[in-house]
Amino acid sequence: MRFLTAGESHGPKLSAIVEGFPANLPIDKERMTAELLKRQGGYGRGRRMQIEKDTFQFGSGVRHGKTLGSPIMLEITNDDFKHWSKIMGSEPLTAEEEASMKRVITKPRPGHADLVGGMKYNVRDLRNVLERSSARETASRVAVGALCKELLHALDIRIFSRVNQIGEVKDDAEYSIEERAGRPDQSSVRMVSEEKTKQAEELIDATKKKGDSIGGIVEVIVENPMPGLGSHVHYDRKLDAKIAGSIVSINAFKGVEFGIGFRAGETPGSEVQDEILYSEEYGYYRRTNNLGGFEGGMTTGMPIIVKAVMKPIPTLYKPLFSVDINTKESFKATIERSDACAVPAASVVCEHMVAIEMAGAILDKFPHDDFIELESAVAQYKQRLGEY
Ligand code: EPS
């Protein structure tokens, strides 16, 4: 399976094409739309999210509620484009229009792609860079991930996410899997605890008031993955590596951990490795899950537990020093609108990037022209594992 996304933040639409998906997979479009709406939510989002209502259309690949096996096109309209049609239109401008063009961006924002992107692509209106580097693009990825979640759902693999930390507010008690799966959807910041939700909201309010932004840590859990997805035989087939790469590809993500993650650096080996046990009922399983569901780049069958850190959004109301690319003069950057905190939305994006990698690993391992064929190959594989 492979996919591409296209689209600028204030352009007419965002789109994605997914190729290599099996035929005959039932699709619940409403369930997919709910995922997109989840990404738009979260305390701390700016005014843009009041303009957009991210629904999507299938442009191809799905007929009568089932996939065809052909490329699947997913399209999301940018409602904000109507306010930007001149600035973001594809038609050439007249010399007069060009001279009177407002909103030419020559002041790169620290922490964004603006300056390096402008230098590399040789453009002097930095809008040509920031339109694509904007986190708006993650809406297309969530659409692709939601499609992948349809495949995981049909194979009885569950995936969910939550926010563990925003700034210094940590929601890090030992919650059950059920609490971690259900409660975040009820919280404005996708946390499990109501008390921590309130504290995080207060922190976001205070941060916003100061014109600042705040980051945090998110967690994704995959429940019931079959063992043996990914492979130990080659670096680029290791599934944990692919997941890590996918997560760091999300705007503002700076690090990834599996299981106990960085704590493994300070813990003796005998306390880190997960001891192997066997029972008639479950087959092989691990006493603990410190390694977060991976050994040798392959799923062990234990839940996959991934944590990731997001830096504070670099679009700040609080001015930071930068340099104008025309005048070379130092200035203090100011902006029109921004999210003070997008960690809750980013947890949804992370979940969907993990879903994409999981679906990719399943489609790599099993025949997948036809979903029915794939399903029976998975059942046979599980039976073979049961006899191992
Ligand atoms: C973003 C700035 C804001 C965010 C945007 C990311 O958009 P705007 O510049 O239109 O006000 O709301 O996020 C999204 C549009 C989204 O869908 O996540 C930025 O500078 O990256």
Side-chain angles (χ1 to χ4, degrees):
M1 189 217 4
R2 54 196 170 144
F3 76 98
L4 285 173
T5 72
E8 274 75 44
S9 180
H10 303 96
K13 63 171 92 159
L14 303 170
S15 50
I17 298 181
V18 185
E19 201 276 321
F21 227 67
N24 300 317
L25 175 73
I27 297 294
D28 183 336
K29 193 173 175 222
E30 266 176 43
R31 188 164 51 203
M32 287 178 64
T33 306
E35 302 290 347
L36 277 166
L37 296 179
K38 242 190 248 179
R39 190 203 71 93
Q40 285 200 281
Y43 204 79
R45 296 284 260 159
R47 288 194 305 279
R48 174 75 187 271
M49 286 306 113
Q50 291 154 22
I51 298 171
E52 303 296 343
K53 185 163 192 320
D54 288 346
T55 54
F56 74 98
Q57 297 306 320
F58 284 114
S60 70
V62 175
R63 182 169 180 234
H64 301 160
K66 282 192 183 160
T67 53
L68 296 174
S70 59
I72 300 170
M73 180 187 272
L74 302 151
E75 295 187 313
I76 301 165
T77 302
N78 282 326
D79 290 330
D80 210 8
F81 178 64
K82 53 181 176 289
H83 308 124
W84 293 77
S85 54
K86 198 82 205 162
I87 294 168
M88 288 304 294
S90 57
E91 296 301 312
L93 297 176
T94 61
E96 217 169 66
E97 283 171 329
E98 200 159 348
S100 63
M101 179 78 165
K102 284 191 213 120
R103 301 203 184 189
V104 173
I105 298 178
T106 59
K107 297 174 163 44
R109 300 159 301 170
H112 271 282
D114 303 354
L115 179 58
V116 191
M119 290 162 73
K120 176 175 165 69
Y121 286 89
N122 192 21
V123 292
R124 302 207 69 90
D125 180 354
L126 300 177
R127 174 164 302 286
N128 288 11
V129 176
L130 68 88
E131 281 289 335
R132 181 63 184 161
S133 67
S134 162
R136 178 87 189 126
E137 184 267 345
T138 62
S140 344
R141 295 204 243 170
V142 170
V144 174
L147 181 72
C148 291
K149 280 182 82 170
E150 292 296 292
L151 178 76
L152 301 181
H153 177 82
L155 295 172
D156 202 25
I157 298 171
R158 208 156 62 123
I159 176 162
F160 43 86
S161 62
R162 65 161 175 147
V163 171
N164 290 24
Q165 187 175 335
I166 291 182
E168 70 262 22
V169 180
K170 289 187 187 173
D171 190 20
D172 57 358
E174 285 289 320
Y175 297 114
S176 69
I177 290 270
E178 277 323 306
E179 285 172 316
R180 290 194 250 181
R183 298 258 285 272
D185 287 346
Q186 263 78 66
S187 155
S188 63
V189 289
R190 299 190 51 74
M191 283 183 168
V192 175
S193 148
E194 281 178 28
E195 191 195 331
K196 298 289 176 176
T197 295
K198 260 193 222 114
Q199 289 176 16
E201 284 185 357
E202 284 164 15
L203 178 64
I204 292 168
D205 286 342
T207 304
K208 205 171 175 173
K209 222 179 238 163
K210 283 189 266 175
D212 220 325
S213 62
I214 193 125
I217 294 176
V218 305
E219 176 188 75
V220 179
I221 297 183
V222 184
E223 230 193 348
N224 197 29
M226 63 278 273
L229 296 176
S231 175
H232 64 289
V233 303
H234 206 250
Y235 73 92
D236 56 359
R237 292 179 57 191
K238 293 182 186 242
L239 183 55
D240 48 1
K242 289 188 186 185
I243 289 176
S246 268
I247 288 181
V248 178
S249 79
I250 302 168
N251 312 47
F253 274 78
K254 287 299 187 190
V256 182
E257 291 186 335
F258 293 89
I260 62 167
F262 281 35
R263 261 202 297 134
E266 62 196 42
T267 314
S270 57
E271 290 170 33
V272 171
Q273 318 310 329
D274 301 308
E275 288 182 304
I276 300 170
L277 305 174
Y278 181 84
S279 79
E280 284 290 328
E281 196 185 347
Y282 299 113
Y284 299 98
Y285 64 99
R286 308 296 189 279
R287 190 192 297 281
T288 49
N289 190 17
N290 295 333
L291 301 182
F294 281 101
E295 284 170 358
M298 292 173 284
T299 49
T300 61
M302 297 293 282
I304 296 174
I305 301 181
V306 192
K307 284 196 199 125
V309 62
M310 182 190 196
K311 72 174 178 179
I313 282 187
T315 316
L316 301 177
Y317 291 97
K318 189 177 194 159
L320 289 183
F321 270 112
S322 181
V323 174
D324 188 296
I325 58 167
N326 285 347
T327 63
K328 309 290 186 286
E329 273 165 19
S330 198
F331 72 98
K332 279 196 149 188
T334 53
I335 51 124
E336 291 154 32
R337 64 183 180 194
S338 171
D339 307 327
C341 176
V343 178
S347 72
V348 177
V349 181
C350 264
E351 174 184 329
H352 286 77
M353 287 314 288
V354 176
I356 292 170
E357 292 302 341
M358 287 301 295
I362 290 168
L363 297 176
D364 277 348
K365 176 149 180 56
F366 299 102
H368 59 274
D369 287 336
D370 166 22
F371 177 67
I372 317 296
E373 186 187 13
L374 185 149
E375 209 176 17
S376 76
V378 170
Q380 263 177 37
Y381 176 65
K382 285 187 175 169
Q383 190 182 344
R384 179 169 79 63
L385 293 185
E387 291 159 6
Y388 184 82

